[in-house]
Structure formats: C-alpha cells, structure tokens
Amino acid sequence: MPTTITFQPMMESRPIREIAYEVLKHAIITGQIPAGERIVETDYADRLHISRTPLREALRKLERDGLVEYVLRRGVVVRAFTMEDVEEIYTIRNSLEMLTLPAIIAKATEEDIKGLKNRLREMDELLERGDIENLSPMARAFHAQLTAICGQHRILRVIEGQDEFIKRFSAMAIRQENRRSQAHEEHHRLVEYIENRDLESFEKLMNKHIERSKENCLAALAAQQAQYQ
C-alpha cells in the first residue's frame, strides 16, 4: 500500500525544500515511511505535489541526519535505527536536559509546580489503569513541561530537535519496561526536589532517571532486532 503523506506547501511561508524535509523526517521517525522503503523521486514528488529539485535537497538533508542512505542500484532508502543511533540521540538529549536543571530550580514558580503535579495525577490514573498507550506520550509531555521551566530558549530549541526521535524510542521502550512504577515514583520525587529547591538531589536523580530511560530503550531495540534475526 503506498505511503500517504499530507503536504500543503501553499499554507506555508518557508521554502518548499524545508517543508518537504520536515514532512519526510516526521514520516520516517514515526514509522509512517518504514525502514527499508525506497524513496523514488518521481513517486514522492507527485505525492508531495512538488518538483524533484526541492525533494532532492530535502533528501540530501535527511541523508546528513542519517535517516536515509543512497544504496547502489536501489537509490534512496530509509535507514533502520541502530543501537548506535539510539545511544547517540539519547546522549545528546540527556546531556542537554542536565544543563537545564539549575535554571529549573532557580525559576520554578508555584504555578509551575502545580502544573507538574496536575500532570502527575493524570499519569497516576493511566498507570493504575495500565493504559500504557497513553502513558508514554504523557511521560514525554511531563519532561517537556518540566524542562520548559528553565527558559533557556536556545537549549530548548536543540532539545526539541531531538524530541521526535525520543518520542518513538520511549514509546517502544515503555511497552517492554519492567520499571514503570519506579520511573513514575521518580517523577514525583523530581517535583518534590524542585519544590524544595534541592538542586543536588534533583541533579542526582535526574541523571539516573534519564540514563535508565536510555538503557531501557536500548534493551527494547535489542529485543526487537533479535526477533528479526
């Protein structure tokens, strides 16, 4: 069945190549365009309602991102995520998140803390019901809400650039995770440390929390790859 992609360039003011890049990147990361699929220029240019020139420029950018590769006699092919990809993306994302912690402690308001607690109550209910499908995006939303408190916009923009990857990886990991309750308890403790302005404990727990997230994802990916060997 052909991949369906929604693309409306007339609705955007950015260059068409940038829009095509974002649309294709999202489709690849979310699995809408699966690993191993060929991206035939004439086919995808028609689907996206654009010429082949901006499509080629978008594909070159996707190749630099490591999302597609040029294969001899096959053309452009979507790459599968490797263990190295996951480790690199998480390492970048986690390092940046750690940089925001002092500013979060310094800037968090009572309203910020109230908002985080409200989010945790929603997650409490999902965990109690075993609603794993909705728990993963809610956990990512919790971390985004927490990190946004720092107000460090340049760091936040770079973090956001990795978030699409993290969303897919965390959704994959949470289905196999054997420490959901522990991870959620850590979320509650993180908010307590913010409320108490306890930077040392906040940094120590956050470092463990996000490193465990990376380890869980790597384990899930390894298990997934083993099924296809």
Side-chain angles (χ1 to χ4, degrees):
M1 182 178 294
T3 304
T4 302
I5 302 176
T6 302
F7 184 66
Q8 296 178 307
M10 297 305 293
M11 302 295 290
E12 297 275 2
S13 59
R14 293 176 296 157
I16 292 176
R17 64 179 181 276
E18 291 297 328
I19 306 169
Y21 165 74
E22 292 295 341
V23 170
L24 290 170
K25 177 183 175 184
H26 178 75
I28 291 169
I29 291 172
T30 59
Q32 188 179 356
I33 306 177
E37 178 164 323
R38 292 179 61 215
I39 298 184
V40 180
E41 286 186 8
T42 52
D43 184 17
Y44 274 79
D46 287 344
R47 296 186 200 185
L48 297 174
H49 310 296
I50 61 176
S51 71
R52 293 168 67 179
T53 298
L55 177 62
R56 286 195 194 105
E57 293 172 345
L59 292 175
R60 281 195 290 269
K61 194 170 180 181
L62 291 168
E63 184 183 22
R64 290 195 296 271
D65 289 345
L67 294 175
V68 303
E69 59 185 339
Y70 284 84
V71 178
L72 187 64
R73 290 189 290 274
R74 291 197 68 200
V76 181
V77 177
V78 176
R79 285 184 66 243
F81 288 112
T82 66
M83 300 285 282
E84 290 77 14
D85 291 330
V86 175
E87 182 144 18
E88 181 180 8
I89 290 164
Y90 262 98
T91 297
I92 293 169
R93 177 65 168 76
N94 293 355
S95 297
L96 290 169
E97 190 162 351
M98 290 299 295
L99 291 176
T100 68
L101 304 191
I104 292 171
I105 290 290
K107 296 181 179 181
T109 65
E110 289 185 10
E111 193 64 28
D112 290 327
I113 293 166
K114 181 180 177 182
L116 290 170
K117 288 181 176 180
N118 288 339
R119 177 82 64 179
L120 287 175
R121 278 193 286 272
E122 295 178 51
M123 294 168 67
D124 290 340
E125 295 175 5
L126 293 173
L127 188 63
E128 187 175 345
R129 295 202 305 266
D131 187 350
I132 307 309
E133 193 69 29
N134 289 310
L135 183 61
S136 175
M138 188 69 76
R140 291 308 321 149
F142 168 81
H143 275 275
Q145 185 176 342
L146 186 153
T147 306
I149 294 171
C150 76
Q152 296 169 311
H153 301 296
R154 291 180 180 84
I155 294 178
L156 290 172
R157 280 197 296 272
V158 181
I159 288 174
E160 287 168 7
Q162 303 296 316
D163 270 352
E164 280 189 293
F165 295 98
I166 298 296
K167 286 173 185 174
R168 180 175 184 182
F169 296 154
S170 61
M172 178 176 63
I174 203 167
R175 289 180 174 84
Q176 302 184 34
E177 186 177 339
N178 56 14
R179 60 176 293 275
R180 292 190 196 106
S181 296
Q182 181 184 356
H184 187 55
E185 174 59 30
E186 289 170 0
H187 290 149
H188 280 277
R189 286 166 55 201
L190 288 169
V191 174
E192 286 178 17
Y193 293 146
I194 296 172
E195 191 169 20
N196 296 331
R197 310 294 174 181
D198 185 348
L199 178 59
E200 182 179 356
S201 297
F202 185 47
E203 288 179 329
K204 188 180 295 184
L205 179 58
M206 181 64 84
N207 185 58
K208 290 180 180 178
H209 182 79
I210 59 183
E211 282 300 311
R212 285 172 185 151
S213 177
K214 180 175 76 173
E215 290 165 6
N216 285 332
C217 182
L218 289 169
L221 182 58
Q224 185 184 73
Q225 290 177 345
Q227 291 179 347
Y228 295 99
Q229 290 178 351

